[in-house]
Amino acid sequence: MSAPQTPNPTSITKSLGAKGRDWQKLDIRRAATETPPPREFIFASMPARKGMYAMMIGPDGSRKSWLALQVAVGIATGTQIAGGLWPAPKKGKVVYFTSEDGADELWQRVHAISRGQPPEFIDDLDENLIIVPLSEGHDGLTLVCQTKDGSYGQHESVSTLIDISRGARLIMIDPLADALDAPESDDQAAKMLVQTLRSVSRETRAGVLVVHHQNKAAMGGGERHNQTSRGHSKIPSGCRWSVTIQPVSDQEAKQREMMDAPYWTKIYEGKASYAARAIGSSDIGLYHYPETADEHGKTVGGVPLVRLLPVKEGAAGDDAPKPRTGRKRTNGDVSATTRPRRGLANVAG
């Protein structure tokens, strides 16, 4: 028989006393009479609670990995993300597992993001950010695999991930498909994946953000809700926050008279379980600046930054069919008047 547990004064649960099960029950009296602590978010509307995960969803080539890296850098340094897409989060350790981009490409991107930053930014980055380019080694990361009896279970590499990530504020896995040694549409495999992601968060007390591809039907239709991710519906249903990113369609580019549509990525919050959606406008996007030369004349890649999409005079964008009036509009952290915006990217932050 296990020893009795010492009550945790900050916990709102207590033991249920169920035989053979560590089930907890909510302390109803405290819940009804004591003011709960304010909700905390890792960034945007992603809750800072153990046992939860979030998703970043988008089609191939939509710059998901770029945005994921900027989230990692923003949390590691406590600075605003992507030029103000989301405000500066609480600083903390980030562990970013990526299997698509190698060390050389990540070098290019980290260098581009860090150009012109003060020494303390670099110090925080070096201390708080761990990037694991899985393509550089022989051992990849697998979360779920098939067992000898034909069912699905956690892979042994999950324990290694947990050991590396203890003390982290955020764990990132990019892309999710590469960490799943099972069919994405399999019901049992999807259930095990959801349980594994939650287990990783509970064990490390860190948030978990997975980068995942959008399904073909959603890509063709420009859909942006939470259930547009590829694979079984249990995977997006189990997350507590998601963001969807998409390229600008040819139709919208024509409508907005955009001369540089390939440089744009549109941003939407598909799900926010514990807060109002901060991004709901069709006018907010990331503008990926072309390659530029550094102070030594060396060509370096541009960095996607938040901007307001150009608007054709008299047009209203895909979420507001009525003509613009010149009144003030506020979208999350991005404010602008409704004057027509044409041509290249406009500064939004």
Side-chain angles (χ1 to χ4, degrees), residues 43-276:
F43 78 101
S45 299
M46 180 180 176
R49 296 185 177 184
K50 65 178 183 177
M52 297 183 182
Y53 68 94
M55 299 183 71
M56 185 177 292
I57 303 165
D60 290 337
S62 58
R63 303 182 178 95
K64 299 185 299 297
S65 295
W66 258 112
L67 182 56
L69 179 59
Q70 288 179 296
V71 168
V73 169
I75 295 172
T77 60
T79 57
Q80 62 181 6
I81 297 169
L85 176 63
W86 293 299
K90 180 180 178 181
K91 189 189 304 182
K93 176 183 173 183
V94 181
V95 184
Y96 179 22
F97 295 90
T98 174
S99 57
E100 287 189 334
D101 298 312
D104 288 345
E105 175 59 27
L106 289 163
W107 184 355
Q108 294 279 349
R109 296 185 181 190
V110 171
H111 181 72
I113 293 172
S114 304
R115 286 183 62 206
Q117 297 292 346
E120 54 267 27
F121 179 96
I122 307 301
D123 291 342
D124 286 336
L125 207 58
D126 183 48
E127 180 179 354
N128 294 327
L129 179 58
I130 297 175
I131 299 178
V132 184
L134 296 165
S135 61
E136 300 298 318
H138 298 291
D139 298 321
L141 170 64
T142 302
L143 298 175
V144 173
C145 63
Q146 196 164 25
T147 60
K148 292 180 179 179
D149 63 2
S151 61
Y152 294 100
Q154 285 188 12
H155 191 270
E156 59 184 10
S157 62
V158 173
S159 61
T160 306
L161 180 155
I162 291 173
D163 288 341
I164 293 173
S165 304
R166 293 192 187 279
R169 185 160 176 79
L170 181 65
I171 301 166
M172 306 177 74
I173 301 170
D174 178 16
L176 179 62
D178 285 1
L180 184 62
D181 189 14
E184 293 175 338
S185 59
D186 185 273
D187 182 80
Q188 188 181 18
K191 181 179 179 180
M192 178 54 64
L193 176 62
V194 170
Q195 293 175 347
T196 299
L197 292 172
R198 291 172 175 170
S199 175
V200 168
S201 177
R202 284 195 301 270
E203 289 292 320
T204 60
R205 306 186 72 85
V208 177
L209 176 64
V210 297
V211 180
H212 197 35
H213 293 96
Q214 202 172 40
N215 64 56
K216 291 182 180 180
M219 286 189 284
E223 298 178 34
R224 60 202 193 205
H225 56 82
N226 186 56
Q227 286 289 341
T228 64
S229 68
R230 200 172 67 189
H232 203 285
S233 61
K234 284 182 178 178
I235 301 173
S237 294
C239 78
R240 296 295 88 193
W241 178 80
S242 71
V243 61
T244 304
I245 62 178
Q246 291 178 326
V248 176
S249 67
D250 293 341
Q251 180 180 0
E252 185 172 359
K254 182 178 180 180
Q255 177 188 6
R256 292 178 179 272
E257 293 186 347
M258 297 174 67
M259 298 181 291
D260 50 0
Y263 293 110
W264 285 96
T265 298
K266 299 188 70 176
I267 310 292
Y268 306 96
E269 277 187 286
K271 183 176 183 178
S273 295
Y274 301 128

